[in-house]
Every structure is written in structure tokens, then in C-alpha cells.
Amino acid sequence: MKKIINVHLSGLLIPMEDTAYDMLKAYIESLQRHFSQEPGGDEIVSDIEARIGELFQERLRKGENCITDADVQAVIAAMGKPEELGGESEQAQASSSQAYVELRPRKRLYRDPDDKILGGVCGGLGAYFGVDPVIFRLVFALLFFGAGTGVLLYLVLWIAVPRARTASEKLEMRGERVDLQNISQAVKEELSGVKSRAQDLGKEAAGVFKKKENNDIGEAFREIVLALLRVIGWIAKIALILIGLVIIFSLGVALIAMIGSSAMVIPLKSFIWSGWWPGLFFWPSVLLVLGIPVVAFMIFLIRKLSGARRMHAAVGYTLAFLWLLGLVMLAYMARDVGQHFRMKSISKVSIDFHQPSVRTLYVKLQPVLGAHEITGRRNFTIIGNWISLRDDSLFYPNVRVHIIPSPQDDSFRIEVNKSAFGATMDEARENADRLSIPFVQDDSVLYFPDAVPLPMGVPFRNQQIEIKIFVPNNRQAFLLGKSGWEDENGNDGDDADQETDKTISETSTAQHWQPHRFSLTELSFCDLTAKWEKEHDTASAHANEWMDGLLYLFFSLFNIQPR
Amino acid sequence: MNIDNTQSQMRKGVLEFCILAIIRQGEAYPSDIIEKMKAAGLHVLEGTLYPLLTRLKNAGLLKYRWVESPSGPPRKYFSMTPEGETFYHMLEETWREMVTAVNQLTQNN
């Protein structure tokens, strides 16, 4: 028993068996899908529909009561299945005389709707590589429990890989084996495409030249231009691919590095943001801005490699939106931070110290940055000891020393410029004034730390300390380097040098810096300085003049610029 | 190599040429074209005709007008444009060259 339904087919009323109708409907839908990517696809399908209607009408006129399954099957056989009709892609290939490619459909990566647990990704991968999907399911499960990366990878694949919907797509899914030969052939085809395009371009360009010079030289020139363009085309293509890969690779590395170090840098946040909420946005936005291009490129790569044709526009829009969102968030935070860097205040302070007994003043910057071993959880250094966080204080190189000749003075003079930023002038001044530079004097040697720490709770506003040492006539001042020279030239120079050397190095290594409790009395290098004093005194007593000259030579040898 | 595939490729190649040749003789609607091709002994899947007609029309080689039909909905009648005419002549030239070449190559077999 069958139900007869009346179907309106492009202006004709056709009585059909319901099963025949279902079959016809499926056929027309498959045609619609097949031609959906082609301009005028709707027109093609409605033309075919009209023709089918005509054929049915003919049959009814011959005396049939209604259209049966057999009639529909006959019509489908006469019209041809969608995959037999050829689409735009086939035409494009035919026009570039590569029609033979169509004979061996390339295997494509699809999601398998018939063999799925979540999205059919593993089923599709299994079909693509010709192995049991269980293997991929296991790999994803392990990745999930391993580091959670399996989830991300699965989601990317789910978005990037289209679902096999039609029979031909399912065939493609299980189609030809993907092996090295296929891949190399695909690459060759791609490259020959570039070659032919370059050749076309070459011919066109050569045509322009040929009009001007219609002789042998012109012909030779044409050949050269042709070859040149071909080479340029190749190089451009390869360069583009390489640049793309490098960019994506570095983005990926940056992302991984950011994620990896995120736990370490979190304590720094309290020095940058005043409130809790900008910091809350920071990692999500960095993740979006760096991560989205990586994900997008992965999707692109997967689709390119698997030869997927369809791409949901929504995926592109979503990725673009997320990326912009990340960018806006970053910009907002940059603005928030920038607000606190609007004003700069510099305050001048004079430092009282004893005039040295000799004519030369040595200034030594004591290494604070990276001088300690990392002991606690919250102690770490970033970028080669440049920025470090110890005992909840932030260290960064913020002390500079300038030695300035000042003929109008008759004694050494030290001036300290403290500078900092702030949202307002008052705030900036307050930030600057909070810094104090501790120093120790040992007659002719002045010890300064090479960094003044910011304690927890004091925000980072690029606080800087500039120490200006004004040197009067007939006096000298030298800046001794940070920690450097004991490693570099332990055995250099003569005895006197070595002596000096050793003493300084001992001083700098044995000295113990405690940023919070830094004061003159609590420094623990008193006994060492006594030794230094003794030796220095003897040296200066014996040969004040040549010692200075020798030291100067010594410093300049190792690029320590006395100013 | 699959013989069916090769055969259908050979047919597809000349299909556009044949369609243009039929339409050139006078306005035609798709069913006419199919009948004429069948009568001449050229068997192709009917479905292949429609995409080709639409593409030729979109390329400006063909144009069409709606004609009321005594039995059913209006029909699309296709005719040549001047561009179609030049296109046809180029195809014709290629066809003649191919026929001569193929005949020459196959006559000794």
C-alpha cells in the first residue's frame, strides 16, 4: 500500500508515490549541495527541476496514474548523479588541461558522521590514514589527561574539518591512500601551476617588449625576461611560505613561553597594576592576541593539507572577533597602565659625604641585581638577571652614575636626581621621593648599589636614580664597573694590579646586601674594607700618581670607561 | 585507466561545441537540444547540459528569453550572442584541426 501525494514541480502538478517523492527530494537536495558553490547554482537546479517535471508529465500523458520509484530512478539515471555532472572545480581543471586529476579523486579529511563519539574527528582521521579510529581516540584521551592539549587540538580539528555529508564526500573520505607519492604529486601540481602563471606573465611582459624591438635582441631579451620571471615567481612563492612558517612558529613559541612563564610573572603584576581587575584581563587577552593567529593558521594548514573545500564563514568571523576582543582588552590595559605614566617628576637631592683624602674618587656600583642565589619560591630573575624579584621587592637596573667635570667647584660634589612617573604631578613626585639611595663611603671609594628595590605595594613607575658626581679641577673620579672584572682578567697585569683586583673582587663577592635593612651601620664588610684601606693606603702613599695612570690604562683596556 | 571515464571525458570536451552548434541553427530550449543530440547519436547525461548552459549564459556567449508553452510552465529559449558566435568559430577551427590530426593519426591502424 502506498500513499499518493501531489507535488508541485516547477509549475506542474505531479501525483507521486510518497517513496518516489522522498527519492526525488533527496536527489534534488544533493544537486543543490553540489551546485551550491557555483554562481548560478540555483538556476541550474531549477532548470533541471523543470526538465524532470517535463519528463514526468510525458509519462503521465502516456497513461500512468502516478510517478513511481522506478520512474524517479529512470529520470535520475537519465539526468546523472551530482558527482557525474561536474562542477566548477572540474571546469577550472579542464581549462588548465589538468582534467586527468579528476579521474583520481584526492583523499580528503572529513569528519565521519557514521563513526563518531563526539564530532567524528577521530573517525575521519582513522579513515584518512586507513587505521582504526580507536588509536586516535586513545591519543586524544592521553593528551587530555597529559596536559589538556588534546581538548584544544580536538576543538581545532572539529572546527577546521568539514563533515562528510554526501556520498561522494564519504568516498573522498575513504578514497585513495595518502602517501609520499601523492603528496609529492600534489606539490608538483601546485608548483607547475605557479610556473605556468609565471610563464603567462612572462609572455605578456615579453609581448610588451617585443612591440618595441622586433629583432634577435628582442627575442633574447624576451627569453631572459621569461626565465627571470619564472625564477622570481618561484622565489616569491617559497619566500612567502617560509615567512609564514617563521611568523607562525615564533608566535607559537611566544605563546608557549608566555603560558610557561605566566606562573612566574604573576607576582610582578602587583607592581604594574593598581587594581585587581586589569591583571585579571591580562592573560586572557595575551592568549587571544597570540593564540588566535596560531589557531587560525593551524585550521588553514589542516584544510589545505586535507583539501577541504567548504569553510564556514562563521569560523572566520568568530576568530577575527576573538582576536579583536583580545586586542581591545590589551589596548584598554595599556591605556590603564599608560594613565599612571602621564607625568614625570624629577627631584634633586644633594648628598653629604666626606671629601676623600686623595685626589681621586672611585665610585663602585655594588651588584645587587642577580648577585644572590635564588632561594625561595618568590625569588626569580627574568631576562638575564635584569629584573628580579626577591623578598617581595622588585629589582631592576635603575641606578646610573654620571661623572661630570666641574671646574667652578673646589671639592667633590654629589647630586642625586630621583625620577618617577605618575598619573598626576603630585603622585609622580611622591613615587620619586619614596626612593632613597643608600651609600657607603670608604675614604676615596664610594659604594652605591646598582639597583634600588621597589618594596611590595610600591607600584612600578619607572623610578630611576641618577647620581651625578661633579669633579673639580685637578681631581679625578673613576667609575668602577659592576661586578665584571674578576671573571675576565684574574691573571692579567702586574702584581700591583692583581692586588687591587683581588681586593675589589673580594669586596664585591663577600659583601652581603640586604635591600630592606640597608644602612651604613649594618653593612657587613667592615673588616674587608679595613684590608682594602690598608692596601690602598700603601699604594697611594707609594705611588699615587702612577697608580692612577695604571688603573686608567687597566680600565680602558677592558672597556670600563671612566667618565 | 577506466574506459568509461575516458569516454565521458572525450564527450564532455565536445559538448559545449555541440550545444553552441545546435543553438546557432536557431533558438532552442534544453529539451530540444537533448533531443537533437540524441537524434545525432551523441548520448550524454542530461544533467550535464544544464550547468553548461548556465555557464555559457553567464559567460555572455548565450542569452535566453521566456516563451509561454502550450502544455505547462514557460520555457527558456536560448540563442547566440555575438560573443558566442566568435567563440563558436574559434571552437570550430580547433575542431577541424583536431579531426584532421586525429584522422591522420588513426587512419593507419
Side-chain angles (χ1 to χ4, degrees):
Chain A
M1 193 180 77
K2 284 196 171 175
K3 199 163 73 178
I4 308 288
I5 48 177
N6 279 321
V7 178
H8 194 73
L9 198 61
S10 66
L12 294 167
L13 198 67
I14 311 277
M16 290 178 90
E17 286 180 356
D18 58 346
T19 48
Y21 166 75
D22 288 342
M23 206 188 288
L24 181 67
K25 195 178 161 210
Y27 175 64
I28 288 179
E29 276 170 3
S30 70
L31 285 177
Q32 276 163 347
R33 269 199 299 277
H34 184 74
F35 290 115
S36 64
Q37 294 299 309
E38 189 168 331
D42 294 339
E43 196 179 344
I44 296 169
V45 176
S46 68
D47 283 354
I48 292 176
E49 248 182 66
R51 172 65 177 163
I52 292 171
E54 231 174 53
L55 288 171
F56 285 166
Q57 209 188 21
E58 223 165 89
R59 276 161 203 266
L60 292 170
R61 211 174 287 151
K62 280 178 186 162
E64 280 187 39
N65 289 328
C66 68
I67 299 301
T68 62
D69 292 359
D71 292 329
V72 174
Q73 273 161 3
V75 161
I76 292 174
M79 301 302 291
K81 292 201 171 62
E83 49 270 28
E84 294 171 311
L85 299 183
E88 186 79 321
S89 58
E90 190 203 56
Q91 205 200 16
Q93 276 165 344
S95 67
S96 60
S97 73
Q98 285 182 330
Y100 66 94
V101 178
E102 192 68 10
L103 300 179
R104 305 179 286 106
R106 233 186 99 205
K107 195 167 188 171
R108 291 172 199 277
L109 181 62
Y110 285 104
R111 285 182 291 118
D112 191 348
D114 304 325
D115 184 10
K116 69 170 185 178
I117 287 177
L118 273 174
V121 169
C122 292
L125 282 171
Y128 190 69
F129 293 105
V131 295
D132 197 318
V134 170
I135 294 168
F136 289 102
R137 293 199 177 112
L138 269 174
V139 168
F140 276 110
L142 282 176
L143 279 173
F144 172 71
F145 288 116
T149 46
V151 182
L152 185 73
L153 195 64
Y154 193 92
L155 284 177
V156 167
L157 282 168
W158 199 342
I159 295 167
V161 179
R163 190 162 58 92
R165 286 194 288 193
T166 63
S168 61
E169 283 175 347
K170 280 177 191 168
L171 273 176
E172 278 179 340
M173 182 176 74
R174 299 181 196 288
E176 197 188 2
R177 282 190 78 82
V178 176
D179 52 29
L180 259 182
Q181 203 190 338
N182 291 341
I183 291 169
S184 74
Q185 188 179 345
V187 170
K188 263 185 222 155
E189 278 162 15
E190 183 81 353
L191 287 177
S192 74
V194 172
K195 212 167 115 182
S196 68
R197 278 197 290 281
Q199 263 169 346
D200 288 347
L201 200 67
K203 275 179 199 153
E204 231 169 83
V208 172
F209 286 112
K210 225 178 164 181
K211 277 176 201 159
K212 290 175 187 165
E213 298 178 62
N214 222 343
N215 50 26
D216 290 348
I217 302 166
E219 190 61 29
F221 193 71
R222 197 188 87 98
E223 288 295 321
I224 292 167
V225 169
L226 215 97
L228 215 67
L229 281 172
R230 227 174 290 168
V231 170
I232 289 169
W234 272 69
I235 291 171
K237 172 129 186 164
I238 290 163
L240 273 177
I241 292 171
L242 281 180
I243 289 168
L245 282 178
V246 164
I247 287 172
I248 293 306
F249 181 74
S250 43
L251 272 176
V253 167
L255 185 70
I256 290 164
M258 293 293 262
I259 293 167
S261 60
S262 63
M264 299 249 290
V265 187
I266 278 169
L268 276 186
K269 283 196 308 194
S270 58
F271 289 99
I272 299 173
W273 290 293
S274 37
W276 55 272
W277 48 270
L280 199 71
F281 285 132
F282 182 67
W283 288 112
S285 58
V286 165
L287 216 63
L288 288 177
V289 169
L290 291 178
I292 293 293
V294 174
V295 170
F297 184 75
M298 274 162 74
I299 290 177
F300 169 76
L301 215 65
I302 291 164
R303 298 190 82 95
K304 201 81 190 162
L305 285 176
S306 68
R309 283 177 187 148
R310 294 192 308 265
M311 174 75 186
H312 290 292
V315 174
Y317 287 129
T318 310
L319 288 177
F321 173 77
L322 285 175
W323 190 74
L324 281 176
L325 186 76
L327 212 61
V328 166
M329 275 156 78
L330 266 190
Y332 183 74
M333 278 183 307
R335 192 183 140 267
D336 184 72
V337 172
Q339 290 236 313
H340 292 283
F341 282 84
R342 272 206 308 220
M343 293 295 178
K344 188 182 184 180
S345 155
I346 301 173
S347 27
K348 273 184 195 172
V349 182
S350 287
I351 283 190
D352 293 328
F353 72 110
H354 305 293
Q355 292 294 322
S357 58
V358 288
R359 287 175 49 221
T360 310
L361 186 66
Y362 297 96
V363 178
K364 171 122 175 74
L365 282 182
Q366 289 290 0
V368 173
L369 286 169
H372 288 259
E373 277 181 26
I374 297 164
T375 48
R377 188 176 59 83
R378 299 184 54 86
N379 293 351
F380 61 88
T381 58
I382 306 158
I383 331 168
N385 292 348
W386 264 67
I387 301 168
S388 56
L389 191 65
R390 282 196 300 272
D391 306 325
D392 287 345
S393 297
L394 178 70
F395 290 78
Y396 61 98
N398 57 355
V399 175
R400 280 173 301 152
V401 176
H402 287 286
I403 294 174
I404 301 160
S406 170
Q408 66 269 28
D409 284 320
D410 30 297
S411 56
F412 286 107
R413 191 160 62 79
I414 297 180
E415 194 181 286
V416 171
N417 286 349
K418 300 187 229 175
S419 68
F421 289 88
T424 61
M425 209 59 207
D426 287 343
E427 204 185 296
R429 194 174 304 119
E430 195 188 326
N431 285 333
D433 287 343
R434 266 197 244 182
L435 287 190
S436 59
I437 177 100
F439 79 100
V440 176
Q441 187 180 8
D442 172 27
D443 187 36
S444 67
V445 186
L446 283 172
Y447 296 93
F448 288 100
D450 67 350
V452 174
L454 299 182
M456 194 70 149
V458 176
F460 170 77
R461 297 290 175 255
N462 197 22
Q463 289 92 335
Q464 294 285 349
I465 287 182
E466 192 185 24
I467 301 164
K468 283 181 176 168
I469 295 166
F470 294 94
V471 184
N473 268 341
N474 305 320
R475 303 282 168 98
Q476 282 171 301
F478 290 125
L479 176 64
L480 305 183
K482 284 186 182 177
S483 58
W485 61 72
E486 68 262 27
D487 322 315
E488 291 172 32
N489 56 312
N491 296 322
D492 252 317
D494 57 14
D495 283 356
D497 270 357
Q498 275 195 11
E499 286 281 81
T500 322
D501 220 29
K502 211 174 149 205
T503 323
I504 291 166
S505 72
E506 271 172 9
T507 313
S508 60
T509 48
Q511 187 197 334
H512 195 69
W513 285 84
Q514 284 164 318
H516 281 313
R517 297 182 289 118
F518 194 104
S519 72
L520 285 181
T521 49
E522 278 173 6
L523 282 170
S524 59
F525 56 96
C526 299
D527 41 3
L528 279 157
T529 47
K531 193 181 165 202
W532 156 260
E533 203 172 324
K534 201 180 84 198
E535 286 177 17
H536 184 74
D537 271 358
T538 45
S540 53
H542 283 294
N544 230 336
E545 293 293 327
W546 70 261
M547 185 68 183
D548 286 349
L550 206 70
L551 268 177
Y552 186 87
L553 195 76
F554 173 79
F555 292 147
S556 57
L557 255 179
F558 294 97
N559 246 341
I560 303 153
Q561 294 286 323
R563 272 176 265 189
Chain B
M1 279 300 261
N2 187 333
I3 185 72
D4 287 342
N5 271 331
T6 313
Q7 285 169 339
S8 79
Q9 291 292 337
M10 277 172 107
R11 287 201 199 99
K12 270 182 194 169
V14 295
L15 197 55
E16 286 175 48
F17 181 46
C18 294
I19 291 169
L20 288 172
I22 292 167
I23 293 172
R24 197 166 167 259
Q25 289 157 16
E27 252 188 348
Y29 94 107
S31 303
D32 282 344
I33 299 170
I34 290 163
E35 291 309 321
K36 279 185 182 161
M37 285 199 297
K38 273 186 186 163
L42 188 67
H43 293 282
V44 290
L45 285 167
E46 286 186 28
T48 44
L49 181 69
Y50 297 95
L52 273 181
L53 282 173
T54 304
R55 275 176 218 139
L56 289 171
K57 187 258 296 175
N58 286 344
L61 305 179
L62 293 179
K63 59 179 190 288
Y64 71 87
R65 64 190 180 95
W66 290 102
V67 175
E68 288 297 331
S69 144
S71 62
R75 295 163 171 179
K76 268 184 187 173
Y77 271 82
F78 286 91
S79 56
M80 284 288 231
T81 62
E83 290 86 1
E85 197 73 26
T86 22
F87 192 78
Y88 174 79
H89 284 300
M90 281 155 76
L91 283 182
E92 196 182 25
E93 198 182 319
T94 315
W95 176 247
R96 287 198 202 294
E97 283 167 14
M98 260 174 68
V99 168
T100 324
V102 173
N103 281 342
Q104 204 178 337
L105 289 171
T106 52
Q107 67 185 349
N108 295 331
N109 287 340

